[in-house]
Amino acid sequence: MSSINSGMFTATGQHFGISLTRTASIPEPSLLAFNLRSYLSEYTGYAKIRRAIYVGERCPTLSIESYSIALEELENKTYDTTTYKHIARLLEQLTGERRDTEEWERRVSKEVKEQDTEIRGKLERAKKQVSKKDTLQAQWELVRLQQQRGLMDEAVRALQDGRTSCGGMPEQAELYVEAARVSQVMGRWLQVATYIQRTEAVLPDPDATARAELAVLRAQADFGDCKWSVAVNGLRELSIDTASIVFARKTVTPRDIALYGTLAGLAALDRDQVKQQLLDNVQFGQFLDRMPECQALLQSYYDSKYDDALNMLTRILSFCHLDPVIGPHVTTLKQRIRDNIVVLYIQPFVSVRMSSMATALCFGSTGQLEDTL
């Protein structure tokens, strides 16, 4: 795999923190309703592209379809010639069919050059006229262009440069929130948390919509950083209505919130807390309605139907392997949740037969159970 030095890739060949070399082979999700194109249609732009590439890297049976979807999105929604060429080459390797990318690249490169020249001209004129309003507007245009080109680090730098042209705290907050969104798409959770803190420092009393977006961004960052209890505390206060504008951006979905809250809750909360904070939570129930498998998992866990819970957990995690936020933590989450189930199983008994316990908790052997204990 050759190194690429522009676009969404760094010199080490990384794509939003995702290596573009083949990783361990993962089978297709075992959830009955899973359909790749339908799943990815819930996202747009680089959120969709990132997820499509993540699936393609990990699931050989879905690689051609996922890379094709990524290529469509790149062609229709971006000016990112670097990533476009790279995905086209991957598809050529998989299918043996060569795709002519030169015409699209020439047209896009011309448009980018024209827009870049125009925007930088606006910036220069605005600065000469000492017009903060016009300078900030041109800076935002530059941010959007860099994002379309896949130059996310440059977009963040342009956002930082825009601070000197802000007329007040709300404008600074808007820049910080956008920087958090860009960092979210790249999966840079520490940066997301940093920009949330800066937003709250300049905008201590945001409106309900802004609070909802900050809560979603923070919960994703906490989840990505394995802070399960912190993540679930933020998620249980969300409602679909207050976060509707966030979901309209199509970078995160209600189903994502159900997954984050369910898995973080099972990893961090005790049995009674799972019922109080998740199952009996009317607001979180709206998200569970979008992902009935999560509802079934939580209910089985609370009802002590541990074999059902573990089977459902396995099915859900087969899907989560292909999620760029949850995927890196699947093994840790599975072990943490399984350990919690083992503790709950043992609690009512004075003594337990190991063979019966291994069967009830879906361990392959008593040896595997002993290793866990």
Side-chain angles (χ1 to χ4, degrees), residues 125-370:
R125 289 191 297 273
K127 288 177 180 179
K128 285 181 179 179
Q129 295 167 4
V130 197
S131 172
K132 285 191 173 184
K133 180 180 178 180
D134 291 344
T135 301
L136 184 58
Q137 182 178 340
Q139 203 70 44
W140 271 110
E141 291 181 24
L142 182 60
V143 168
R144 301 304 183 201
L145 179 61
Q146 302 293 43
Q147 287 176 312
Q148 283 189 291
R149 296 176 67 190
L151 301 174
M152 299 304 177
D153 288 326
E154 284 79 352
V156 171
R157 280 193 285 272
L159 288 164
Q160 292 170 341
D161 292 342
R163 289 177 299 173
T164 58
S165 303
C166 290
M169 295 301 187
E171 290 176 335
Q172 283 192 41
E174 192 175 354
L175 291 171
Y176 288 138
V177 170
E178 186 64 23
R181 292 173 187 145
V182 175
S183 300
Q184 171 204 38
V185 172
M186 292 190 288
R188 295 180 180 174
W189 307 122
L190 181 59
Q191 286 186 12
V192 173
T194 297
Y195 286 119
I196 290 173
Q197 290 173 356
R198 292 179 182 177
T199 302
E200 292 174 334
V202 299
L203 196 68
D205 188 26
D207 61 28
T209 300
R211 282 199 302 274
E213 178 161 22
L214 292 174
V216 171
L217 288 167
R218 183 184 291 108
Q220 268 199 318
D222 290 332
F223 194 100
D225 204 25
C226 300
K227 297 176 181 176
W228 314 126
S229 60
V230 181
V232 74
N233 280 337
L235 290 170
R236 66 190 178 89
E237 301 297 332
L238 282 175
S239 74
I240 284 183
D241 291 338
T242 57
S244 59
I245 292 180
V246 182
F247 300 133
R249 295 181 185 277
K250 301 186 74 172
T251 59
V252 64
T253 69
R255 186 202 59 249
D256 294 330
I257 301 301
L259 281 167
Y260 301 151
T262 296
L263 296 175
L266 292 176
L269 304 178
D270 63 32
R271 183 170 172 271
D272 290 337
Q273 288 173 326
V274 165
K275 180 171 176 56
Q276 294 166 5
Q277 297 184 24
L278 300 179
L279 280 171
D280 291 347
N281 184 328
V282 175
Q283 292 185 154
F284 190 71
Q286 295 175 320
F287 296 105
L288 292 176
D289 289 343
R290 306 298 179 92
M291 188 77 181
E293 294 87 352
C294 288
Q295 172 79 42
L297 170 57
L298 290 169
Q299 194 64 58
S300 294
Y301 181 90
Y302 180 74
D303 291 340
S304 302
K305 298 178 180 178
Y306 300 127
D307 54 343
D308 291 343
L310 287 166
N311 286 330
M312 182 57 72
L313 178 65
T314 298
R315 290 173 60 193
I316 289 173
L317 291 181
S318 73
F319 166 75
C320 293
H321 271 295
L322 302 180
D323 182 293
V325 178
I326 306 174
H329 310 299
V330 163
T331 301
T332 301
L333 282 165
K334 184 176 183 180
Q335 187 62 52
R336 184 81 171 262
I337 295 170
R338 198 170 201 181
D339 288 350
N340 290 345
I341 287 176
V342 168
V343 171
L344 287 174
Y345 182 91
I346 293 173
Q347 280 179 346
F349 302 105
V350 175
S351 63
V352 179
R353 186 183 296 275
M354 294 290 284
S355 58
S356 300
M357 184 176 175
T359 300
L361 300 184
C362 303
F363 282 89
S365 66
T366 55
Q368 290 181 9
L369 175 58
E370 289 170 358

